[in-house]
């Protein structure tokens, strides 16, 4: 385990924190996201994939994700959604404005890149 003293020593030496994962931890166990974003040099927020489960069928999750994304981006932090496996979730993330989206819906893991970079 890394002590908080070691973490702050690394940060004060110029290391950047990325990503910070926000999701389903009980509020009493984690600081408010605004506190972390205000006090740590964070580049990216990665949303916990469990937080994104059943996104299309759960308006409460969509609202919470929209607010988390808004807060992160208000601190000039890029947001990342992982584990996306359906078009409905992809459309919601796109409309919310998440910066980066990863998941099997876009491309399954492969030892090679199977994208035609010559396409416009």
């Amino acid at each position: 385990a890394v002590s908080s003293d070691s973490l702050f020593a690394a940060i004060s030496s110029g290391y950047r924190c990325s990503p910070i994962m926000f999701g389903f931890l009980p509020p009493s166990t984690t600081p408010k996201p605004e506190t972390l974003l205000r006090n740590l040099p964070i580049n990216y927020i990665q949303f916990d994939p469990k937080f994104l489960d059943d996104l299309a069928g759960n308006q409460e999750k969509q609202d919470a994700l929209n607010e988390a994304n808004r807060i992160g981006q208000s601190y000039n932090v890029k947001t990342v959604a992982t584990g996306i496996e359906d078009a409905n979730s992809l459309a919601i993330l796109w409309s919310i404005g998440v910066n980066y989206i990863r998941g099997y819906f876009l491309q399954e893991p492969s030892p090679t890149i199977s994208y035609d970079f010559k396409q416009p």
Side-chain angles (χ1 to χ4, degrees):
V2 176
S3 73
S4 60
D5 290 339
S6 298
L7 177 62
F8 285 108
I11 291 168
S12 65
S13 297
Y15 287 96
R16 303 287 289 180
C17 294
S18 74
I20 294 292
M21 188 173 288
F22 291 121
F24 278 115
L25 294 176
S28 61
T29 64
T30 59
K32 293 182 106 178
E34 295 92 337
T35 303
L36 292 173
L37 294 169
R38 185 174 35 256
N39 294 301
L40 296 174
I42 297 170
N43 295 328
Y44 296 90
I45 295 171
Q46 178 174 310
F47 299 114
D48 188 325
K50 291 179 185 173
F51 185 64
L52 303 172
D53 284 348
D54 188 37
L55 186 61
N58 189 324
Q59 185 63 47
E60 188 174 305
K61 278 188 180 183
Q62 291 175 36
D63 294 342
L65 179 64
N66 190 30
E67 180 65 8
N69 191 68
R70 185 194 64 74
I71 291 168
Q73 291 183 353
S74 73
Y75 285 89
N76 295 316
V77 173
K78 300 290 185 188
T79 54
V80 182
T82 61
I84 305 309
E85 298 185 8
D86 65 278
N88 292 330
S89 294
L90 182 64
I92 291 165
L93 294 166
W94 185 269
S95 69
I96 288 173
V98 172
N99 295 105
Y100 301 104
I101 301 169
R102 296 175 38 201
Y104 285 4
F105 181 75
L106 300 174
Q107 181 177 349
E108 291 187 20
S110 170
T112 61
I113 295 175
S114 61
Y115 180 78
D116 183 3
F117 289 97
K118 294 177 186 173
Q119 289 183 349

